[in-house]
Structures are given as structure tokens and as C-alpha cells.
């Protein structure tokens, strides 16, 4: 199996964060649910604090001028996974939720 689920979003799709976190926890309660968030917000922002309360790990990535934030969000999942050492991570879109555990 795997140790982590990593999802990412920019400001446009951040509304998916709550339901995605709940769905992954329902079917995979033993794993850590992680969020890579592309935003100009800081660690003390109310939304970031809320994310940190529900997700096991949250890492903020700054937008990069000239690169669409959706593309930065896609890459941020891989950057986050690379920082987790030998842990096995499943990288998922923020709008993808599991419908069952065994597929």
C-alpha cells in the first residue's frame, strides 16, 4: 500500500480540499493526507490554518510569474512527494476522490 495521498490546488480549485480530504480518510484511514497549495497566502492566513487542521501535511508553493498556477500545482505534488524520503505517495488530482478501497 502507500503512506501518503498528495493532492494539490491553486486558488481556483481550493474548494475541493475539504471533500477530497474526507473521502480519502474514509477509505484509507491509515494514510496521511497531504496538500500542496499554490498561493500567495502566508502560513498565518485563516484558510491555511484551517487546511493544516484537517490535512496531515500542508506545504505552500508560491505562484511563478509566467507559469499558469494550475501547472505549478501539478508539479508541486511531485516536489512534495520528493521531500518525504522513502515513503510511498499516491499523487492525485484535487478533484479526484476514491469511490471504494479495492479497485
Amino acid at each position: 500500500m502507500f503512506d501518503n495521498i498528495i493532492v494539490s490546488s491553486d486558488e481556483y480549485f481550493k474548494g475541493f480540499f475539504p471533500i477530497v480530504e474526507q473521502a480519502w480518510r474514509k477509505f484509507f484511514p491509515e494514510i496521511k493526507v497531504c496538500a500542496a497549495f499554490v498561493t500567495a497566502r502566508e502560513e498565518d492566513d485563516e484558510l491555511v490554518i484551517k487546511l493544516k487542521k484537517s490535512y496531515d501535511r500542508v506545504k505552500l508553493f508560491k505562484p511563478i510569474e509566467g507559469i499558469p498556477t494550475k501547472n505549478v500545482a501539478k508539479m508541486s505534488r511531485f516536489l512534495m512527494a520528493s521531500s518525504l524520503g522513502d515513503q510511498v505517495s499516491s499523487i492525485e488530482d484535487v478533484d479526484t476522490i476514491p469511490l471504494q478501497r479495492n479497485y
Side-chain angles (χ1 to χ4, degrees):
M1 194 51 98
F2 43 90
D3 302 304
N4 307 291
I5 289 289
I6 301 175
V7 298
S8 65
S9 180
D10 59 6
E11 288 286 341
Y12 298 103
F13 290 94
K14 68 181 181 272
F16 283 101
F17 274 138
I19 193 167
V20 167
E21 180 264 337
Q22 291 174 15
W24 283 108
R25 287 202 193 282
K26 177 178 179 173
F27 292 106
F28 300 92
E30 71 280 7
I31 64 158
K32 291 191 177 356
V33 183
C34 309
F37 187 25
V38 178
T39 183
R41 298 172 191 259
E42 299 295 330
E43 297 283 340
D44 60 351
D45 182 90
E46 186 177 321
L47 176 64
V48 175
I49 292 168
K50 187 176 177 182
L51 276 175
K52 288 184 175 190
K53 287 180 181 176
S54 60
Y55 279 78
D56 295 299
R57 292 186 180 99
V58 175
K59 185 161 176 59
L60 303 182
F61 292 86
K62 296 291 182 194
I64 300 171
E65 188 175 335
I67 300 176
T69 55
K70 291 171 184 63
N71 293 3
V72 177
K74 289 176 185 178
M75 290 308 301
S76 68
R77 295 177 288 193
F78 293 95
L79 292 171
M80 189 173 196
S82 71
S83 72
L84 298 175
D86 291 340
Q87 295 181 31
V88 176
S89 298
S90 178
I91 296 174
E92 302 291 339
D93 290 334
V94 74
D95 58 351
T96 301
I97 59 173
L99 299 177
Q100 63 171 323
R101 184 177 173 96
N102 301 313
Y103 68 91

